[in-house]
Structures are given as C-alpha cells and as structure tokens.
Amino acid sequence: MSDLPDPLTLACPVCATRNRVERARMAEGRCGKCRSALFEGRPVVLTAENFGKHAGSDLPLLVDFWAEWCGPCRQMAPVFEAAAGALEPDFRLGKLDTEAEAAIAARYAVQAIPTMILFRNGREIARTMGAMPLQALVSWARQAGG
Ligand code: ZN
C-alpha cells in the first residue's frame, strides 16, 4: 500500500478514536485514548457508531456483510478471521451484521450475503459476493485495494 499517507490516521478497533501514527510503527501501535493495540489480528465488529470512523480512516476497510442465519456466512467466518491476520496492518477488516445494522446494509444495497466490500476514504471501491478461500480473498483485496 505504497500510496497511503505517512503518518496516517486510523480508528482504534476498540473505542474507534482516530489515531495518527507513522506507518512503520502502526503495527505495534496503541490507541492514544484507551491504550488498546491498534491491530488485534481479527475483524472489528462494525456498528452505526463506528462504521464511519473506520470507513473514513486512511486505511482501506474490508467489510464482511453477514447474517447469523446464512450458512455460507458461517463458512466464511474463519476465513475472514484469518484474512485479518494476513492483511493487517495494510487493511482494517470489519464484520457487519446485516440484521443488527440493516440501515448500513441497505445504504450499500447489500442483497446477497456474504458480500465483501472494500472501502477507501469512505467510498466503496470494490465488492465481491459469496464465500471464497483465504488466498483468493487476500489476493482480491490486495489487487483491489492497492
Ligand atoms: Zn482506543
């Protein structure tokens, strides 16, 4: 992700406070407010409260739109979890429960799930639908987000 600003701003995975950090140090960085690690190797749970802060930070945000009743979503869950380990700190990964946060799912016209949408600077830049293997997801994100 050579075109990212340095230092960049990113939202804390726990309290969503925007932190300004140097790229070389962000992987080990801690939130200036709550002292949580800025990267935890797993997706952030996205809600109406924190979605805008994560989507609008300098890091690309990869979102898994899912629902509890959806079999392919459950199949995708461990893959998406592993993708967080593979893609951080170049990306932030987040999960959005389309039942709990229906307004956000509607805003992006998410119909089939799982749907993965990649955001940069608050805008959708790519999306893909259906469960996929880890390597395919990681390659897709890197290609689309680079
Ligand atoms: Zn924090």
Side-chain angles (χ1 to χ4, degrees):
M1 310 302 289
S2 52
D3 61 336
L4 290 178
D6 192 8
L8 53 70
T9 60
L10 60 96
C12 168
V14 176
C15 74
T17 296
R18 289 250 175 93
N19 284 261
R20 190 172 166 82
V21 288
E22 286 168 41
R23 286 174 58 186
R25 297 172 55 184
M26 68 181 177
E28 289 79 36
R30 293 198 163 266
C31 173
K33 186 174 183 193
C34 74
R35 310 305 300 163
S36 299
L38 290 175
F39 293 96
E40 304 180 303
R42 59 188 150 89
V44 172
V45 175
L46 295 170
T47 64
E49 286 75 50
N50 69 8
F51 182 85
K53 287 180 182 156
H54 285 289
S57 85
D58 287 330
L59 277 187
L61 173 70
L62 177 60
V63 182
D64 176 16
F65 289 82
W66 71 285
E68 191 63 53
W69 49 263
C70 155
C73 296
R74 285 197 297 273
Q75 190 186 328
M76 192 64 208
V79 175
F80 199 76
E81 187 99 12
L87 290 168
E88 289 182 354
D90 298 328
F91 292 76
R92 172 68 76 205
L93 274 71
K95 289 179 72 78
L96 189 119
D97 182 335
T98 55
E99 303 272 290
E101 303 294 344
I104 298 175
R107 191 192 310 161
Y108 296 102
V110 171
Q111 274 145 9
I113 48 173
T115 289
M116 266 73 65
I117 301 183
L118 186 61
F119 294 90
R120 275 199 79 173
N121 304 313
R123 288 186 307 114
E124 172 177 348
I125 59 167
R127 79 165 62 191
T128 180
M129 274 166 267
M132 62 170 81
L134 176 62
Q135 206 44 57
L137 177 61
V138 167
S139 308
W140 175 79
R142 290 208 182 275
Q143 218 155 31

